[in-house]
Amino acid sequence: KKVNMAAAEKSTKERLLSVLDDLEVLSRELIEMLALSRSQKMPQPGEDTQILELLVQRDKEFQELMEVAQQQGKVHQEMQLLEKEVEKRDSDIQQLQKQLKEAEHILATAVYQAKEKLKSIERARKGSISSEEIIKYAHRISASNAVCAPLNWVPGDPRRPYPTDLEMRSGMLGHMANLSTNGVNGHLPGDALAAGRLPDVLTPHYPWQSSDVSVGMLPPHHGNDFGLEPPGHNKENEDDVEAMSTDSSSSSSDSD
Amino acid sequence: MESGGAGITEEQARNRFQLELEFVQCLANPNYLNFLAQRGILRDRSFINYLKYLLYWKEPEYAKFLKYPHCLHMLELLQYEHFRKELVNAQCAKFIDEQQLLHWQHYSRKRMRLQQALAEQTQAQPQTAPPHGNAAAK
C-alpha cells in the first residue's frame, strides 16, 4: 500500500515490511533453536518461550497493521472518488468560464457598436440643417453661377467661380486705405486690392459681400494670436463702411 | 464710431465679419493666391495662423454666407505648406485656374449632354410609341 503518512512517522508499508522482517528473523531464530535443541541441550531455558512470545506479538502487530492498511485503502479509494468528482466540477467551472467569457465578449461588442451608433446619430443630428436653408443657399450659389458655369459660357466670358479683380476692389477690402506697414500685417493686403480703387459712389454692390448679417453674428474671437490688428479705422473707411452697412438686404433676392 | 477703446462695437463686429467674408472668398481666385505667394505673404507665420483661423467659415452657420464655395476648398489646401510653396509658380496657378474652370463647367456640360440625349430620345420615340387608342392591355 502506497499511502504516505507524515514524514515523522513511518508509512504503513514500511511498518508492515519491518514487522515482516522481524517475523522472518524471529522464525529463523526459532527454527535454528529448534534445530540446535535436537543436537544439544538448550543453552538458555526461557529463550524459546521468549522467541515464541515475540513471534506472537509480532504476528499480532502484523494483523493490526493489515487492518490499518485495509482502512487506509478504503480511505484512499474514497479520496480517489472525490478527486474524480473534483475534476468533474473543475471542468464544469471551466466550461462555464468559457461561456461567460464569450458572452462578455459578445455583449461588449454589442455595447460598443451601440455606442458608435449613438455617436453617429448625435453627429447626424448636430449636422442637420433645415431644408429651407439648404434650398435658399443652393439657389443663391447656383443662380449667381458661382458653382456652375452659365450654360452660354464661352472662353472670353469674364465670369468666374471666384471673385474677379473688379469685384475684389469694389469690396470693403478694396477700400481699405493702403496700410503704411510693409504690407505684411497678415490682415490682407489692402494694398493689393487698393491698387485700383473705384470711386466710392459708383461702387457696385455685389451680393458676395453683403449678407443678411444678424446683429449677433460675430466672427470667432481671435485676439492677437497671429499678430493681427483689427481692421483699421480711418475716416475714409468710415464712409464706405456706412454705405455698405446700410445695404444689408436679404441675399436670396440677389441673384446676380 | 469708436476706435476700439472699450470693447467691440456692433459696427466693428460687422465690419470684421464683412472683411473676413470678403477675404476668405478672395481665396477662391488662384490668380490672387499666386499674387500673394509671390509677395511672400504665404510664408508669413502670422498669415498662416490667420488662414487656420479662417477655417471657421466651414461651419454651416458661417458657410451659408459664402457665395463662392470654392474658397473653402482652397482654404483647406492652403493649410498645407506644400501647396503654399507651389503657388509661387505662375504655371501652378494657371493650372489650378484651368482645372477650376473646367470643374465649374462640368455640370453645365453634363446637363447639356443630358438634354441632348433626351432630345435624341424624343425624336426616336414617335415611331415606336403605340397609338393612344390601345387601352386593351389593362
Side-chain angles (χ1 to χ4, degrees), chain A residues 174-181 183 189-195 197 234 236-237:
Chain A
H175 286 89
M176 273 176 69
N178 228 326
L179 299 172
S180 57
T181 66
D191 41 312
L193 295 176
R197 301 167 58 145
N234 47 16
E236 255 177 304
N237 280 353

Side-chain angles (χ1 to χ4, degrees), chain A residues 195-250:
Chain A
R197 301 167 58 145
L198 297 177
D200 306 338
V201 182
L202 300 180
T203 305
H205 180 64
Y206 290 93
W208 72 291
Q209 294 137 355
S210 83
S211 40
D212 35 3
V213 185
S214 67
V215 168
M217 173 68 76
L218 253 190
H221 175 68
H222 65 343
N224 275 328
D225 299 341
F226 32 77
L228 256 208
E229 321 210 354
H233 294 292
N234 47 16
K235 291 281 160 64
E236 255 177 304
N237 280 353
E238 282 182 33
D239 293 340
D240 303 342
V241 160
E242 310 266 299
M244 286 275 212
S245 317
T246 51
D247 241 315
S248 22
S249 49
S250 165

Side-chain angles (χ1 to χ4, degrees), chain A residues 4-101:
Chain A
N4 274 334
M5 307 200 359
E9 302 173 6
K10 285 179 152 179
S11 70
T12 309
K13 176 177 169 187
E14 282 175 1
R15 284 166 65 184
L16 276 173
L17 286 177
S18 90
V19 167
L20 279 178
D21 278 342
D22 287 349
L23 283 175
E24 194 183 356
V25 165
L26 285 171
S27 356
R28 239 195 236 139
E29 268 204 47
L30 190 59
I31 293 176
E32 273 184 24
M33 265 183 42
L34 287 176
L36 274 177
S37 72
R38 278 252 192 119
S39 47
Q40 61 194 39
K41 282 274 175 174
M42 287 273 262
Q44 285 110 335
E47 208 171 322
D48 47 353
T49 28
Q50 222 180 37
I51 292 191
L52 274 172
E53 273 173 11
L54 278 175
L55 213 55
V56 169
Q57 200 188 41
R58 285 290 178 273
D59 187 59
K60 206 157 118 208
E61 253 184 66
F62 184 74
Q63 299 298 333
E64 279 169 8
L65 279 176
M66 282 302 284
E67 286 248 2
V68 168
Q70 221 175 18
Q71 296 293 337
Q72 286 178 337
K74 279 203 193 112
V75 169
H76 181 71
Q77 252 183 352
E78 264 190 57
M79 276 174 66
Q80 277 187 331
L81 276 175
L82 285 173
E83 264 180 28
K84 271 217 189 78
E85 196 63 34
V86 164
E87 253 181 55
K88 185 165 168 304
R89 296 298 162 89
D90 259 348
S91 84
D92 279 348
I93 291 179
Q94 270 186 356
Q95 182 73 356
L96 280 174
Q97 215 178 6
K98 242 191 267 180
Q99 288 178 337
L100 261 177
K101 204 133 204 217

Side-chain angles (χ1 to χ4, degrees), chain A residues 100-129:
Chain A
L100 261 177
K101 204 133 204 217
E102 256 187 67
E104 190 223 0
H105 180 71
I106 292 176
L107 281 174
T109 317
V111 164
Y112 173 74
Q113 285 182 347
K115 281 208 181 119
E116 290 295 304
K117 226 179 210 163
L118 281 174
K119 265 193 249 171
S120 64
I121 289 177
E122 184 60 37
R123 258 181 291 153
R125 210 174 43 79
K126 267 196 275 190
S128 67
I129 303 180

